[in-house]
Protein backbone atom coordinates (compact mmCIF):
# COMPACT_ATOMS: atom_id res chain seq x y z
CA UNK A 1 0.00 0.00 0.00
CA UNK A 2 1.41 3.37 -0.95
CA UNK A 3 1.76 5.79 1.91
CA UNK A 4 0.07 9.13 1.28
CA UNK A 5 0.95 12.11 3.44
CA UNK A 6 -1.64 14.29 4.96
CA UNK A 7 -0.25 16.90 7.28
CA UNK A 8 -3.38 16.96 9.35
CA UNK A 9 -3.56 13.30 10.20
CA UNK A 10 -0.93 11.93 12.58
CA UNK A 11 1.55 9.88 10.63
CA UNK A 12 1.46 7.29 13.43
CA UNK A 13 -2.11 6.42 12.43
CA UNK A 14 -0.87 5.17 9.08
CA UNK A 15 1.86 3.00 10.46
CA UNK A 16 1.56 -0.49 11.64
CA UNK A 17 3.81 -0.69 14.66
CA UNK A 18 4.29 -4.37 14.08
CA UNK A 19 7.11 -4.92 11.67
CA UNK A 20 8.03 -8.17 10.03
CA UNK A 21 11.74 -8.75 9.88
CA UNK A 22 12.24 -10.93 6.83
CA UNK A 23 15.35 -12.68 8.10
CA UNK A 24 14.35 -13.59 11.60
CA UNK A 25 10.62 -13.95 10.88
CA UNK A 26 9.89 -12.23 14.15
CA UNK A 27 7.19 -9.61 14.61
CA UNK A 28 8.70 -6.68 16.42
CA UNK A 29 6.57 -4.35 18.42
CA UNK A 30 8.28 -1.02 18.23
CA UNK A 31 7.72 1.89 20.57
CA UNK A 32 10.00 4.88 20.15
CA UNK A 33 10.85 7.43 22.84
CA UNK A 34 12.51 10.74 22.10
CA UNK A 35 15.62 11.07 24.30
CA UNK A 36 16.24 14.17 26.37
CA UNK A 37 18.95 16.26 24.69
CA UNK A 38 19.48 19.46 26.65
CA UNK A 39 19.52 22.31 24.13
CA UNK A 40 17.85 20.32 21.33
CA UNK A 41 14.72 18.45 22.36
CA UNK A 42 12.99 21.14 24.37
CA UNK A 43 9.30 21.86 23.80
CA UNK A 44 9.94 23.99 20.69
CA UNK A 45 11.51 20.98 18.98
CA UNK A 46 8.98 18.47 20.35
CA UNK A 47 6.07 20.59 19.12
CA UNK A 48 7.40 21.20 15.63
CA UNK A 49 8.51 17.59 15.32
CA UNK A 50 5.28 16.02 16.45
CA UNK A 51 3.32 18.19 14.05
CA UNK A 52 4.94 16.60 11.00
CA UNK A 53 6.58 13.43 12.24
CA UNK A 54 4.26 11.70 14.62
CA UNK A 55 6.64 8.81 15.21
CA UNK A 56 7.50 9.05 18.90
CA UNK A 57 5.09 7.62 21.42
CA UNK A 58 6.64 9.71 24.19
CA UNK A 59 9.57 11.93 25.17
CA UNK A 60 11.62 12.44 28.28
CA UNK A 61 12.22 16.18 28.71
CA UNK A 62 15.75 17.49 29.31
CA UNK A 63 16.53 17.57 33.04
CA UNK A 64 15.49 20.18 35.59
CA UNK A 65 17.79 20.47 38.62
CA UNK A 66 16.22 19.42 41.94
CA UNK A 67 16.36 22.07 44.63
CA UNK A 68 15.22 22.87 48.13
CA UNK A 69 12.16 24.99 48.82
CA UNK A 70 8.48 24.47 48.18
CA UNK A 71 7.91 27.32 45.77
CA UNK A 72 8.25 26.21 42.18
CA UNK A 73 8.38 29.17 39.82
CA UNK A 74 6.71 28.84 36.43
CA UNK A 75 9.98 29.76 34.74
CA UNK A 76 11.66 26.67 36.24
CA UNK A 77 9.24 24.31 34.53
CA UNK A 78 8.67 26.41 31.42
CA UNK A 79 9.63 23.55 29.11
CA UNK A 80 6.87 21.47 30.70
CA UNK A 81 4.04 23.99 30.84
CA UNK A 82 0.94 22.61 29.15
CA UNK A 83 0.67 25.68 26.94
CA UNK A 84 4.18 24.97 25.67
CA UNK A 85 3.50 21.32 24.88
CA UNK A 86 1.29 20.72 21.91
CA UNK A 87 1.08 17.04 21.30
CA UNK A 88 3.96 14.73 22.14
CA UNK A 89 3.40 13.11 25.57
CA UNK A 90 6.29 14.10 27.80
CA UNK A 91 7.78 12.88 31.07
CA UNK A 92 9.71 15.42 33.18
CA UNK A 93 13.22 14.56 34.29
CA UNK A 94 14.86 15.69 37.53
CA UNK A 95 18.54 15.61 38.40
CA UNK A 96 19.76 15.68 42.00
CA UNK A 97 20.88 13.36 44.77
CA UNK A 98 18.88 13.74 48.00
CA UNK A 99 15.16 13.09 48.38
CA UNK A 100 14.31 16.44 50.04
CA UNK A 101 15.54 18.20 46.89
CA UNK A 102 13.33 16.06 44.64
CA UNK A 103 10.13 15.92 46.68
CA UNK A 104 8.70 19.46 46.25
CA UNK A 105 9.35 19.46 42.51
CA UNK A 106 8.01 15.93 41.95
CA UNK A 107 4.84 16.72 43.95
CA UNK A 108 4.35 19.99 42.13
CA UNK A 109 4.69 18.23 38.78
CA UNK A 110 2.23 15.55 39.90
CA UNK A 111 -0.44 18.09 40.81
CA UNK A 112 0.24 19.91 37.57
CA UNK A 113 -0.53 16.68 35.68
CA UNK A 114 2.74 14.78 35.33
CA UNK A 115 1.99 11.41 36.90
CA UNK A 116 5.47 10.05 36.15
CA UNK A 117 8.86 11.62 36.78
CA UNK A 118 12.19 10.36 35.54
CA UNK A 119 15.39 10.58 37.56
CA UNK A 120 18.59 11.37 35.73
CA UNK A 121 21.34 8.91 36.72
CA UNK A 122 23.14 9.15 33.43
CA UNK A 123 24.52 12.65 32.90
CA UNK A 124 28.28 12.19 32.37
CA UNK A 125 29.35 15.86 32.59
CA UNK A 126 32.23 15.92 35.06
CA UNK A 127 31.15 18.99 37.01
CA UNK A 128 27.74 17.33 37.60
CA UNK A 129 28.97 13.76 38.19
CA UNK A 130 31.57 15.02 40.71
CA UNK A 131 28.71 16.33 42.83
CA UNK A 132 27.15 12.85 42.96
CA UNK A 133 24.49 13.74 40.42
CA UNK A 134 23.67 12.09 37.09
CA UNK A 135 25.99 9.15 36.44
CA UNK A 136 28.03 10.25 39.50
CA UNK A 137 25.24 8.83 41.68
CA UNK A 138 25.79 5.33 40.32
CA UNK A 139 28.98 5.01 42.38
CA UNK A 140 26.94 5.21 45.61
CA UNK A 141 24.31 2.43 45.75
CA UNK A 142 23.46 3.23 49.37
CA UNK A 143 22.54 6.82 48.44
CA UNK A 144 20.44 5.60 45.52
CA UNK A 145 18.64 3.22 47.87
CA UNK A 146 17.95 5.97 50.41
CA UNK A 147 16.72 8.27 47.65
CA UNK A 148 14.33 5.69 46.20
CA UNK A 149 13.05 4.60 49.61
CA UNK A 150 12.13 8.17 50.50
CA UNK A 151 10.69 8.99 47.08
CA UNK A 152 8.50 5.91 47.01
CA UNK A 153 7.18 6.83 50.44
CA UNK A 154 6.65 10.51 49.84
CA UNK A 155 5.81 11.31 46.24
CA UNK A 156 2.66 10.19 44.43
CA UNK A 157 4.32 10.05 41.01
CA UNK A 158 5.40 6.88 39.23
CA UNK A 159 9.17 6.88 39.05
CA UNK A 160 11.40 5.85 36.16
CA UNK A 161 15.20 6.03 35.92
CA UNK A 162 17.54 6.89 33.08
CA UNK A 163 21.01 5.62 33.69
CA UNK A 164 24.36 4.51 32.36
CA UNK A 165 26.23 1.33 33.33
CA UNK A 166 28.15 3.14 36.04
CA UNK A 167 30.55 6.04 36.26
CA UNK A 168 33.93 4.29 36.51
CA UNK A 169 33.13 0.63 35.91
CA UNK A 170 30.25 -1.57 34.91
CA UNK A 171 30.41 -3.45 38.20
CA UNK A 172 28.50 -0.44 39.51
CA UNK A 173 25.30 -1.45 37.71
CA UNK A 174 25.77 -5.03 38.89
CA UNK A 175 25.89 -3.78 42.48
CA UNK A 176 22.96 -1.47 41.95
CA UNK A 177 20.55 -3.78 40.13
CA UNK A 178 19.50 -5.84 43.21
CA UNK A 179 18.66 -2.55 44.91
CA UNK A 180 16.68 -1.21 41.96
CA UNK A 181 14.82 -4.51 41.73
CA UNK A 182 13.35 -3.93 45.20
CA UNK A 183 11.38 -0.90 43.99
CA UNK A 184 8.31 -0.75 41.73
CA UNK A 185 10.09 1.40 39.16
CA UNK A 186 8.03 2.13 36.08
CA UNK A 187 10.85 1.96 33.58
CA UNK A 188 14.61 1.71 33.42
CA UNK A 189 16.18 3.48 30.47
CA UNK A 190 19.74 2.32 29.96
CA UNK A 191 22.41 3.94 27.84
CA UNK A 192 25.06 1.21 28.00
CA UNK A 193 28.18 3.32 28.38
CA UNK A 194 30.03 4.45 31.49
CA UNK A 195 29.80 8.07 32.57
CA UNK A 196 33.59 8.39 32.38
CA UNK A 197 33.43 7.39 28.70
CA UNK A 198 31.20 10.34 27.82
CA UNK A 199 30.33 9.35 24.23
CA UNK A 200 33.50 7.53 23.24
CA UNK A 201 33.67 3.84 22.39
CA UNK A 202 30.62 1.79 21.54
CA UNK A 203 27.59 0.92 23.66
CA UNK A 204 28.39 -2.23 25.63
CA UNK A 205 25.73 -4.64 24.40
CA UNK A 206 26.90 -7.50 26.57
CA UNK A 207 26.44 -5.38 29.66
CA UNK A 208 23.04 -4.31 28.36
CA UNK A 209 22.11 -7.95 27.89
CA UNK A 210 23.15 -8.61 31.49
CA UNK A 211 20.75 -5.85 32.59
CA UNK A 212 17.90 -7.33 30.54
CA UNK A 213 18.48 -10.72 32.15
CA UNK A 214 18.77 -9.37 35.66
CA UNK A 215 15.74 -7.20 36.11
CA UNK A 216 11.98 -7.47 35.87
CA UNK A 217 11.67 -3.69 35.50
CA UNK A 218 10.56 -2.77 31.95
CA UNK A 219 13.78 -1.76 30.26
CA UNK A 220 14.38 0.67 27.39
CA UNK A 221 17.47 0.76 25.21
CA UNK A 222 19.19 4.10 24.47
CA UNK A 223 22.38 4.66 22.48
CA UNK A 224 23.81 5.12 18.99
CA UNK A 225 20.72 4.38 16.93
CA UNK A 226 21.83 6.41 13.93
CA UNK A 227 20.41 4.58 10.94
CA UNK A 228 18.18 1.71 9.90
CA UNK A 229 21.10 -0.63 9.72
CA UNK A 230 22.33 -0.05 13.28
CA UNK A 231 18.76 -0.31 14.53
CA UNK A 232 18.05 -3.59 12.79
CA UNK A 233 21.24 -5.09 14.23
CA UNK A 234 20.04 -4.14 17.69
CA UNK A 235 16.59 -5.56 17.00
CA UNK A 236 18.12 -8.85 15.97
CA UNK A 237 20.25 -8.99 19.06
CA UNK A 238 17.36 -8.08 21.38
CA UNK A 239 14.26 -9.51 19.69
CA UNK A 240 12.15 -9.11 22.83
CA UNK A 241 12.95 -5.42 23.15
CA UNK A 242 9.85 -3.33 22.53
CA UNK A 243 10.88 0.16 23.56
CA UNK A 244 13.76 2.13 22.11
CA UNK A 245 14.99 5.63 22.73
CA UNK A 246 16.53 7.80 20.02
CA UNK A 247 18.46 11.00 20.73
CA UNK A 248 21.27 12.26 18.54
CA UNK A 249 20.07 10.11 15.63
CA UNK A 250 16.96 12.23 15.16
CA UNK A 251 18.83 15.53 15.22
CA UNK A 252 21.14 14.21 12.52
CA UNK A 253 18.36 12.62 10.54
CA UNK A 254 14.88 13.93 11.24
CA UNK A 255 13.49 11.13 9.08
CA UNK A 256 15.10 8.29 10.99
CA UNK A 257 12.15 7.33 13.24
CA UNK A 258 9.83 7.50 10.23
CA UNK A 259 12.18 5.32 8.20
CA UNK A 260 12.32 2.76 11.02
CA UNK A 261 8.57 2.57 11.27
CA UNK A 262 7.55 2.99 7.66
CA UNK A 263 10.55 2.16 5.51
CA UNK A 264 12.37 4.49 3.12
CA UNK A 265 10.80 7.72 1.97
CA UNK A 266 11.68 9.63 -1.17
CA UNK A 267 13.86 12.74 -1.32
CA UNK A 268 10.92 14.75 -2.71
CA UNK A 269 8.84 13.79 0.32
CA UNK A 270 11.74 14.65 2.63
CA UNK A 271 12.22 18.09 1.07
CA UNK A 272 8.55 18.87 1.43
CA UNK A 273 8.34 17.69 5.04
CA UNK A 274 11.58 19.35 6.08
CA UNK A 275 10.36 22.71 4.70
CA UNK A 276 7.18 22.50 6.76
CA UNK A 277 8.96 21.28 9.87
CA UNK A 278 11.62 23.99 9.60
CA UNK A 279 9.03 26.78 9.34
CA UNK A 280 7.29 25.41 12.40
CA UNK A 281 10.52 25.01 14.41
CA UNK A 282 11.55 28.58 13.56
CA UNK A 283 8.22 29.90 14.74
CA UNK A 284 8.34 27.84 17.96
CA UNK A 285 11.90 29.01 18.73
CA UNK A 286 10.96 32.66 18.15
CA UNK A 287 7.94 32.31 20.45
CA UNK A 288 9.86 30.47 23.18
CA UNK A 289 13.14 32.31 23.35
CA UNK A 290 13.10 35.93 24.39
CA UNK A 291 15.76 37.82 22.51
CA UNK A 292 16.34 37.81 18.75
CA UNK A 293 20.00 36.98 19.37
CA UNK A 294 19.03 33.83 21.32
CA UNK A 295 16.48 32.87 18.70
CA UNK A 296 19.06 33.23 15.93
CA UNK A 297 21.73 31.30 17.84
CA UNK A 298 19.37 28.42 18.50
CA UNK A 299 18.48 28.12 14.81
CA UNK A 300 22.18 28.28 13.90
CA UNK A 301 22.86 25.42 16.35
CA UNK A 302 20.24 23.27 14.68
CA UNK A 303 21.64 24.08 11.26
CA UNK A 304 24.97 22.65 12.35
CA UNK A 305 23.09 19.36 11.94
CA UNK A 306 20.41 20.18 9.35
CA UNK A 307 23.09 21.32 6.89
CA UNK A 308 24.41 17.75 6.77
CA UNK A 309 21.42 16.70 4.69
CA UNK A 310 22.81 18.69 1.76
CA UNK A 311 25.55 17.94 -0.75
CA UNK A 312 26.98 21.40 -0.25
CA UNK A 313 26.90 21.07 3.54
CA UNK A 314 30.08 22.94 4.53
CA UNK A 315 29.17 26.03 2.53
CA UNK A 316 25.57 25.93 3.70
CA UNK A 317 26.59 25.77 7.32
CA UNK A 318 29.03 28.62 6.81
CA UNK A 319 26.37 30.79 5.15
CA UNK A 320 23.90 30.18 7.95
CA UNK A 321 26.44 30.98 10.66
CA UNK A 322 27.15 34.31 8.92
CA UNK A 323 23.54 35.49 9.35
CA UNK A 324 23.44 38.64 11.44
CA UNK A 325 19.70 38.92 11.92
CA UNK A 326 16.60 36.77 11.93
CA UNK A 327 15.58 38.33 8.61
CA UNK A 328 18.88 37.38 7.02
CA UNK A 329 18.60 33.87 8.44
CA UNK A 330 15.04 33.53 7.09
CA UNK A 331 16.16 34.62 3.62
CA UNK A 332 19.14 32.29 3.55
CA UNK A 333 17.34 29.25 4.91
CA UNK A 334 14.50 29.85 2.46
CA UNK A 335 16.91 29.90 -0.47
CA UNK A 336 18.65 26.72 0.76
CA UNK A 337 15.35 24.92 1.23
CA UNK A 338 14.28 25.80 -2.30
CA UNK A 339 17.50 25.34 -4.21
CA UNK A 340 20.10 23.11 -2.59
CA UNK A 341 20.58 19.47 -3.56
CA UNK A 342 20.16 16.74 -0.96
CA UNK A 343 22.53 13.89 -0.17
CA UNK A 344 21.06 10.40 -0.26
CA UNK A 345 21.78 10.12 3.49
CA UNK A 346 22.73 12.86 5.96
CA UNK A 347 26.42 13.11 6.76
CA UNK A 348 26.88 11.61 10.21
CA UNK A 349 30.42 12.18 11.40
CA UNK A 350 31.49 13.41 14.81
CA UNK A 351 28.54 13.13 17.12
CA UNK A 352 26.93 15.76 19.27
CA UNK A 353 28.14 15.47 22.83
CA UNK A 354 27.02 17.17 26.01
C1 LIG B 1 23.62 17.38 23.90
C2 LIG B 1 23.08 16.28 24.78
C3 LIG B 1 22.24 16.60 25.85
C4 LIG B 1 21.74 15.56 26.66
N1 LIG B 1 20.87 15.88 27.68
C5 LIG B 1 20.37 14.87 28.46
C6 LIG B 1 19.44 15.16 29.52
O1 LIG B 1 19.04 16.30 29.77
N2 LIG B 1 19.00 14.10 30.26
C7 LIG B 1 19.39 12.80 30.00
O2 LIG B 1 18.95 11.87 30.69
N3 LIG B 1 20.24 12.51 29.00
C8 LIG B 1 20.72 13.51 28.23
N4 LIG B 1 21.55 13.18 27.19
C9 LIG B 1 21.79 11.74 26.87
C10 LIG B 1 20.79 11.25 25.82
O3 LIG B 1 19.47 11.32 26.30
C11 LIG B 1 21.07 9.80 25.35
O4 LIG B 1 20.90 8.90 26.41
C12 LIG B 1 22.46 9.64 24.77
O5 LIG B 1 22.76 10.71 23.89
C13 LIG B 1 22.60 8.32 24.01
O6 LIG B 1 21.59 8.17 23.07
P1 LIG B 1 21.76 8.59 21.51
O7 LIG B 1 22.99 7.90 21.01
O8 LIG B 1 20.48 8.11 20.88
O9 LIG B 1 21.91 10.08 21.47
C14 LIG B 1 22.09 14.19 26.40
C15 LIG B 1 22.94 13.90 25.33
C16 LIG B 1 23.44 14.92 24.53
C17 LIG B 1 24.34 14.54 23.39
Amino acid sequence: MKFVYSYHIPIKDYFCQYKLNQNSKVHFFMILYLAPLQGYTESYFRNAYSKYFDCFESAIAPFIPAGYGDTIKKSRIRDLLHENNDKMPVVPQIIGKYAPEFIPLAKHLYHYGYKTVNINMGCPIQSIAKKMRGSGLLVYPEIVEMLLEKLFKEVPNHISLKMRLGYYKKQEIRDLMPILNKFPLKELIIHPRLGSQMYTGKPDLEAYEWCVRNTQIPIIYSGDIFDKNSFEKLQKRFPQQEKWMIGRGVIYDLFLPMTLKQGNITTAEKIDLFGKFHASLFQEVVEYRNRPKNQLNKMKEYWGYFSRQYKNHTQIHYQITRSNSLEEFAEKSDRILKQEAWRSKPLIDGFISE
Side-chain angles (χ1 to χ4, degrees):
M1 190 180 73
K2 174 114 178 59
F3 175 74
V4 184
Y5 291 116
S6 157
Y7 297 107
H8 306 294
I9 301 173
I11 286 165
K12 193 163 52 186
D13 293 352
Y14 287 104
F15 297 146
C16 184
Q17 288 181 342
Y18 288 97
K19 188 166 175 287
L20 181 66
N21 180 303
Q22 297 299 335
N23 300 327
S24 62
K25 306 277 186 240
V26 170
H27 275 97
F28 294 117
F29 184 64
M30 190 199 302
I31 293 178
L32 298 182
Y33 283 28
L34 174 65
L37 299 177
Q38 195 82 241
Y40 295 94
T41 60
E42 277 77 1
S43 57
Y44 37 86
F45 179 87
R46 299 194 299 269
N47 290 342
Y49 196 81
S50 55
K51 201 160 168 190
Y52 297 107
F53 304 86
D54 196 10
C55 297
F56 286 114
E57 274 68 26
S58 181
I60 304 278
F63 69 75
I64 311 174
Y68 293 98
D70 286 338
T71 321
I72 311 291
K73 284 194 189 145
K74 245 185 153 185
S75 56
R76 191 157 156 221
I77 58 161
R78 188 166 174 220
D79 182 43
L80 298 163
L81 295 177
H82 298 316
E83 63 263 33
N84 289 338
N85 283 277
D86 262 7
K87 197 140 71 70
M88 195 183 292
V90 64
V91 172
Q93 187 187 64
I94 308 178
I95 195 166
K97 63 181 164 191
Y98 297 130
E101 302 174 291
F102 279 87
I103 291 167
L105 184 55
K107 280 187 177 166
H108 181 85
L109 289 168
Y110 181 86
H111 295 299
Y112 187 63
Y114 289 105
K115 303 301 176 208
T116 303
V117 287
N118 180 271
I119 302 180
N120 182 316
M121 294 192 189
C123 181
I125 297 173
Q126 244 194 5
S127 56
I128 291 180
K130 266 204 307 209
K131 291 184 190 147
M132 280 165 57
R133 293 187 166 87
S135 61
L137 202 51
L138 301 172
V139 186
Y140 304 96
E142 66 289 356
I143 298 209
V144 174
E145 186 167 15
M146 254 166 43
L147 171 66
L148 293 178
E149 250 165 28
K150 289 216 170 109
L151 289 183
F152 274 101
K153 258 188 220 143
E154 297 197 30
V155 303
N157 321 59
H158 295 291
I159 297 169
S160 68
L161 301 184
K162 184 165 178 293
M163 59 195 291
R164 290 195 174 212
L165 298 173
Y167 185 77
Y168 297 109
K169 45 188 182 354
K170 54 188 172 186
Q171 184 58 36
E172 290 163 28
I173 202 164
R174 289 178 176 250
D175 296 339
L176 202 54
M177 199 58 96
I179 293 170
L180 302 183
N181 284 339
K182 292 198 284 188
F183 296 96
L185 286 159
K186 189 169 179 200
E187 281 169 340
L188 207 54
I189 304 163
I190 297 187
H191 173 203
R193 280 189 171 93
L194 294 169
S196 56
Q197 274 183 282
M198 296 292 289
Y199 288 90
T200 59
K202 291 210 161 100
D204 184 337
L205 299 185
E206 269 176 36
Y208 182 75
E209 194 170 334
W210 182 91
C211 298
V212 172
R213 286 181 195 284
N214 285 280
T215 185
Q216 297 305 316
I217 306 165
I219 201 165
I220 299 173
Y221 175 90
S222 158
D224 291 28
I225 300 175
F226 295 128
D227 54 24
K228 204 171 176 197
N229 208 8
S230 59
F231 182 64
E232 286 182 349
K233 278 190 192 151
L234 285 165
Q235 270 189 319
K236 265 194 197 148
R237 172 123 189 208
F238 302 106
Q240 305 306 322
Q241 185 75 47
E242 289 180 348
K243 295 183 177 174
W244 308 87
M245 178 172 267
I246 303 182
R248 294 168 298 166
V250 72
I251 305 297
Y252 272 102
D253 181 359
L254 296 163
F255 304 93
L256 176 63
M258 193 188 235
T259 309
L260 300 183
K261 285 195 166 170
Q262 181 215 344
N264 291 330
I265 52 174
T266 66
T267 304
E269 287 166 331
K270 284 185 181 180
I271 292 172
D272 187 31
L273 264 180
F274 178 58
K276 291 180 162 88
F277 162 77
H278 182 263
S280 177
L281 179 69
F282 190 19
Q283 191 186 337
E284 293 274 353
V285 165
V286 167
E287 280 167 17
Y288 190 91
R289 294 176 74 94
N290 296 333
R291 292 170 37 224
K293 194 168 172 233
N294 294 338
Q295 297 158 355
L296 181 60
N297 287 343
K298 184 49 64 186
M299 291 311 290
K300 284 183 183 177
E301 264 173 53
Y302 280 116
W303 269 89
Y305 302 96
F306 297 161
S307 58
R308 290 154 187 257
Q309 301 169 119
Y310 294 97
K311 288 193 173 147
N312 205 2
H313 53 92
T314 315
Q315 263 236 302
I316 287 173
H317 187 216
Y318 178 75
Q319 284 169 17
I320 291 283
T321 55
R322 305 289 291 174
S323 308
N324 286 316
S325 66
L326 287 170
E327 291 70 28
E328 197 182 336
F329 167 79
E331 246 168 61
K332 284 184 178 165
S333 55
D334 196 42
R335 186 203 63 74
I336 294 164
L337 289 161
K338 285 188 180 130
Q339 293 175 5
E340 290 288 345
W342 279 52
R343 297 166 55 87
S344 55
K345 275 182 180 176
L347 180 71
I348 301 184
D349 62 342
F351 299 116
I352 314 169
S353 63
E354 283 164 296

